Amino acid sequence: MFYRARLQAAAALASLSLLAGCGLLSDNGSEAEQKIVVGTTSEPSTLDPAAAWDNSWELMRNVFQTLVSFPTGSTSPEPDAADSCVFTDRTSTAYRCTLKKGLKFSNGDKLDAEAVKYSIDRIRTIKVKGGPHGLLGSLDRVETKGDGTVIFHLNRPDATFPFILATPAMSLVAPSDYPKDKIREDGKVTGSGPYLLKSYVPGGKAELVKNQGYKGFANRKNNAVTIRYFKGSAPMVDALKKNEIDATYRGLTAEEVVNLEDNKDENSKLQLIETVGADIRFLVFNPEDPAAGNPAVRRAVAQLVDRDALVAKVYQGTAEPLYSMIPKGIAGHTTSFFDSFGNPSKKKAKQILVKAGITEPVAMTFWYTTDRYGSSTETEFGELKRQLEASGLFKITLKGLPWKKFQEGFTKGQYPVFGRGWNPDFPDPDNFIAPFVGKESVTGMPYDKTEITRHLLPQTRQESDRGAVSKEFEQAQNILVDDVRLLPLWQGKLYVEAGEDIGGGERALDPQTVMQMWELYRKTSW
């Protein structure tokens, strides 16, 4: 029968965890062979954590370890490769981790304190543009004491540092296989995570097998996982219906979600699991572009975009309008853009442009990625073009590229306006502001807003009670509204679609919305 689950409360998580153990045994009582095939449209852009600040984390979470991590249901980092981690001072400037004993990488090398230091230091040495070194702005140096203790000395108080260490970007790598000053590019992985990467074919699939030497928090409910990478959602869903794959994550279009819900008889052997997501979509304006660099042009666009129509026409209830860079469900969320611009208005947009001396339609090119965020992205940008051109104030050209080439372009500042998505590194308001400002913005373009980077963010990072920093983040969002360098569009929901015989989908997405493949299993004896 068609089954739909919504994952929204701790109570639901608790009850689901009791169910997760069901069906893991074969009829004779022995452990069944558990092999799962998962489809996605989100292919890794790199296999090296030092270069990854994107959905490459989906694979990395499953083949690497971090010192601390986010098990399903957790709201703060918990030990993974570490046995324990604590701040050793009241100012949150020294963070000490003691490692589990006997850890080894898949090549047999010891995972010790020096390997941890090497893994973190190489991120800052290589310093990939748009890469995760931007997360380590508060790190001064890494100290080791013996084989088992690592101390992170920070250059300023940073209560979010444990959250940063929990991101897959901080994955621990074997020094003998990863050059200290350049990215590893042989298509292989040497980690200590729940799985080993047996093989990887770019654009094809990743074969994961159980790591017998793994020592961490993950309770693996399967023995092997194949991740298949699809160019679009339609062939992925078709493969699911033909039983060629067992589950999907990332890339379902709104039409496909609605089809599953509206045609329950036809899809009776499938289940749809809905998770409240914190992923967002937004436009980025290039300040070096003649048109997009004009604040009046950016404000006119902000005055015209109709988020309600965008969500209704393109996403059909699978997303909701977003008027803040910080989404609903995260402390500090506001409706700043609505408060400043109100409902879409051609009259107000024209007044903004005329006041700036602009009387002719503004020509701009909007860029988007064709394969990173699902097949609906092209339709979304078509709707944005329609809305802006309907006002008579803009002439929009649309261009799309596959993610790798698209990423190369925006990190070089080649696009006047482009669309980005953001899945949180960790569930904290800091992670919806800090990555987009400063000299090392993840957008690829510097945005050194000193009031945010030198005052508001440092203030919030001194506060270990993350629920007490809403006021500062509201101020930061008001600054972003004044500049309109970033224009939030919508906040999405996450869906896992799976065959009726697959369990664990309710627990598979961690608080970073990264798929924990080890939670999936095949029910064999209900």
Side-chain angles (χ1 to χ4, degrees), residues 156-160 430 450-466 468-469 471-473 475:
R156 55 185 182 269
D158 188 358
T160 71
D430 186 283
T450 57
E451 187 174 350
I452 297 176
T453 57
R454 299 183 188 178
H455 301 291
L456 293 175
L457 288 177
Q459 288 174 25
T460 65
R461 289 171 178 172
Q462 297 181 50
E463 179 57 67
S464 58
D465 179 4
R466 305 308 293 161
V469 294
K471 182 178 180 181
E472 289 83 357
F473 282 110
Q475 293 177 35

Side-chain angles (χ1 to χ4, degrees), residues 220-241:
R220 292 162 296 183
K221 299 180 175 68
N222 58 63
N223 299 316
V225 176
T226 297
I227 306 174
R228 285 184 55 187
Y229 301 108
F230 292 85
K231 295 300 183 184
S233 59
M236 179 175 69
V237 172
D238 186 56
L240 180 65
K241 291 180 177 180

Side-chain angles (χ1 to χ4, degrees), residues 6 33 66 77 82-83 142 340 370 495 497:
R6 289 185 173 86
E33 184 73 4
T66 46
D83 187 57
V142 184
S340 293
T370 57
Y495 296 90
E497 183 183 8

Side-chain angles (χ1 to χ4, degrees), residues 313-523:
K313 292 182 178 181
V314 181
Y315 293 101
Q316 303 178 49
T318 62
E320 55 185 309
L322 182 65
Y323 297 94
S324 159
M325 289 301 290
I326 299 176
K328 291 180 180 179
I330 301 293
H333 168 74
T334 68
T335 55
S336 301
F337 276 87
F338 184 83
D339 297 340
S340 293
F341 295 99
N343 291 314
S345 171
K346 172 184 173 180
K347 179 180 179 181
K348 291 180 180 179
K350 185 175 182 179
Q351 290 174 345
I352 292 170
L353 293 174
V354 170
K355 187 176 180 180
I358 301 172
T359 56
E360 297 294 325
V362 180
M364 286 196 294
T365 300
F366 281 32
W367 291 77
Y368 61 92
T369 176
T370 57
D371 60 355
R372 172 59 57 169
Y373 307 125
S375 303
S376 296
T377 306
E378 181 178 1
T379 308
E380 174 184 343
F381 273 75
E383 172 61 15
L384 288 172
K385 171 183 169 71
R386 186 198 67 76
Q387 291 182 10
L388 295 176
E389 291 187 341
S391 69
L393 302 174
F394 288 91
K395 180 63 178 177
I396 306 298
T397 300
L398 299 180
K399 293 187 178 182
L401 285 174
W403 174 256
K404 288 187 178 181
K405 288 197 171 294
F406 176 75
Q407 187 180 40
E408 290 173 6
F410 75 67
T411 55
K412 294 177 181 178
Q414 294 178 348
Y415 309 145
V417 185
F418 60 95
R420 275 299 308 266
W422 185 250
N423 301 305
D425 301 326
F426 48 86
D428 187 275
D430 186 283
N431 196 234
F432 291 93
I433 300 294
F436 310 120
V437 295
K439 296 179 180 179
E440 303 293 341
S441 168
V442 72
T443 65
M445 292 175 290
Y447 184 14
D448 195 13
K449 202 67 179 179
T450 57
E451 187 174 350
I452 297 176
T453 57
R454 299 183 188 178
H455 301 291
L456 293 175
L457 288 177
Q459 288 174 25
T460 65
R461 289 171 178 172
Q462 297 181 50
E463 179 57 67
S464 58
D465 179 4
R466 305 308 293 161
V469 294
S470 295
K471 182 178 180 181
E472 289 83 357
F473 282 110
E474 288 175 7
Q475 293 177 35
Q477 289 175 90
N478 288 334
I479 294 170
L480 297 182
V481 171
D482 288 340
D483 291 343
V484 199
R485 286 274 301 273
L486 308 167
L487 183 64
L489 297 174
W490 54 269
Q491 172 181 352
K493 300 174 184 177
L494 297 177
Y495 296 90
V496 174
E497 183 183 8
E500 63 176 351
D501 63 330
I502 300 299
E506 300 88 351
R507 293 181 55 83
L509 294 175
D510 72 2
Q512 296 165 307
T513 67
V514 172
M515 178 71 91
Q516 300 179 140
M517 299 295 179
W518 58 82
E519 292 286 359
L520 299 175
Y521 62 91
R522 194 177 308 282
K523 307 170 189 174

Side-chain angles (χ1 to χ4, degrees), residues 44 46-49 52 54-72 74 76-81 135 162-172 189 191-196 208 211 214 216-218 220 227 229 249-250 424-427 507-519:
T46 177
L47 297 183
D48 192 329
D54 58 21
N55 286 344
S56 301
W57 287 8
E58 302 282 7
L59 178 59
M60 292 178 184
R61 172 58 78 208
N62 292 277
V63 296
F64 291 107
Q65 275 186 293
T66 46
L67 286 171
V68 290
S69 189
F70 282 101
T72 299
S74 63
S76 59
E78 298 181 12
D80 187 1
L135 290 167
F163 292 80
I164 293 168
L165 286 182
T167 67
M170 303 300 140
S171 293
L172 306 177
V189 161
S192 60
Y195 298 97
L196 306 177
L208 311 183
N211 180 4
Y214 170 69
F217 71 88
R220 292 162 296 183
I227 306 174
Y229 301 108
Y249 75 97
R250 299 206 188 281
D425 301 326
F426 48 86
R507 293 181 55 83
L509 294 175
D510 72 2
Q512 296 165 307
T513 67
V514 172
M515 178 71 91
Q516 300 179 140
M517 299 295 179
W518 58 82
E519 292 286 359

